[in-house]
Amino acid sequence: AQKITQTQPGMFVQEKEAVTLDCTYDTSDPSYGLFWYKQPSSGEMIFLIYQGSYDQQNATEGRYSLNFQKARKSANLVISASQLGDSAMYFCAMREGAGSQGNLIFGKGTKLSVKP
Amino acid sequence: GAVVSQHPSRVICKSGTSVKIECRSLDFQATTMFWYRQFPKQSLMLMATSNEGSKATYEQGVEKDKFLINHASLTLSTLTVTSAHPEDSSFYICSARAGTGMPQPQHFGDGTRLSIL
């Protein structure tokens, strides 16, 4: 079974609108972290936001917020007030285990296109 | 924020050439570095994990003799693609993490586009 599932290969959003990128995960470990990265066409991976499994509140970083629904095992990324520069691939990732020396497990990504 | 420098950004070379890619953490000591490979329009696939001063741990299906990883210091890891062939053409990207605590994000280099003719 896939550890990280991103069901939206591509998404379109109008500039200045909000958009939600879906991510569900699968783990039996009670301790894990969820990460979102942005990858523009130039290739670099840009860290956006982090949510820990024990965090009580949803993470927020500027225009990015994470809608964390633990019972549903979902960690959707919400981008508010979309900008043209937000057009990129977005990857959801998970690291399992407390403390953890583990690596990130990535989803297949969602390509976001912001329309002017 | 933390910066990871990866060099070169692009390599085009003939089949049979060995190519070395460097990954440096510029403003922190990276206890762990990761090497990923990414095919067009696909996700990142972990190739290997390296800890400073010890042998790299390779993922299943990754040839350790083909992809040599050296993590000689807390700020430098290198990936050498030995005797590269056209099927090795890909986007290679490294990542570094300062510690093992869960909130520590992995910081990525800008990647290396490798094209083998």
Side-chain angles (χ1 to χ4, degrees), chain B:
Chain B
V3 178
V4 174
S5 172
Q6 186 172 340
H7 178 80
S9 58
R10 177 146 195 144
V11 179
I12 302 172
C13 58
K14 293 181 179 179
S15 183
T17 306
S18 291
V19 178
K20 180 186 277 190
I21 303 169
E22 290 188 351
C23 181
R24 294 180 185 272
S25 57
L26 297 184
D27 55 356
F28 66 100
Q29 293 187 323
T31 55
T32 307
M33 285 186 169
F34 305 88
W35 287 94
Y36 294 85
R37 183 173 182 175
Q38 186 179 30
F39 291 104
K41 299 184 180 180
Q42 293 192 23
S43 188
L44 279 70
M45 298 300 296
L46 180 68
M47 298 174 67
T49 302
S50 72
N51 293 297
E52 185 265 339
S54 61
K55 288 185 179 179
T57 303
Y58 289 81
E59 295 299 300
Q60 193 172 11
V62 178
E63 299 175 58
K64 60 180 67 176
D65 295 331
K66 174 76 170 177
F67 299 100
L68 300 178
I69 291 172
N70 185 286
H71 192 164
S73 77
L74 283 171
T75 59
L76 174 64
S77 177
T78 60
L79 167 67
T80 301
V81 184
T82 61
S83 187
H85 292 286
E87 59 267 26
D88 298 323
S89 299
S90 191
F91 186 65
Y92 294 87
I93 190 164
C94 73
S95 171
R97 195 167 75 216
T100 56
M102 179 56 78
Q104 291 282 349
Q106 285 177 218
H107 300 283
F108 287 82
D110 288 349
T112 298
R113 294 193 187 279
L114 177 61
S115 300
I116 307 299
L117 305 177

Side-chain angles (χ1 to χ4, degrees), chain A residues 6-26:
Chain A
Q6 294 180 254
T7 57
Q8 307 152 315
M11 287 283 285
F12 288 91
V13 64
Q14 201 69 37
E15 193 179 8
K16 300 181 184 177
E17 297 288 312
V19 63
T20 298
L21 306 183
D22 295 342
C23 174
T24 57
Y25 58 92
D26 182 29

Side-chain angles (χ1 to χ4, degrees), chain A residues 30-87:
Chain A
S31 181
Y32 53 89
L34 297 158
F35 302 79
W36 276 92
Y37 284 85
K38 172 185 178 181
Q39 187 179 39
S41 57
S42 51
E44 70 270 30
M45 294 286 284
I46 303 167
F47 166 70
L48 296 178
I49 196 167
Y50 163 81
Q51 180 83 46
S53 60
Y54 295 117
D55 293 345
Q56 296 294 316
Q57 293 186 320
N58 288 343
T60 61
E61 287 286 347
R63 294 187 298 112
Y64 303 110
S65 61
L66 204 151
N67 184 359
F68 182 45
Q69 297 189 43
K70 196 169 182 176
R72 294 184 177 183
K73 292 189 175 179
S74 74
N76 299 340
L77 177 70
V78 180
I79 305 174
S80 62
S82 297
Q83 301 172 356
L84 295 178
D86 293 335
S87 295

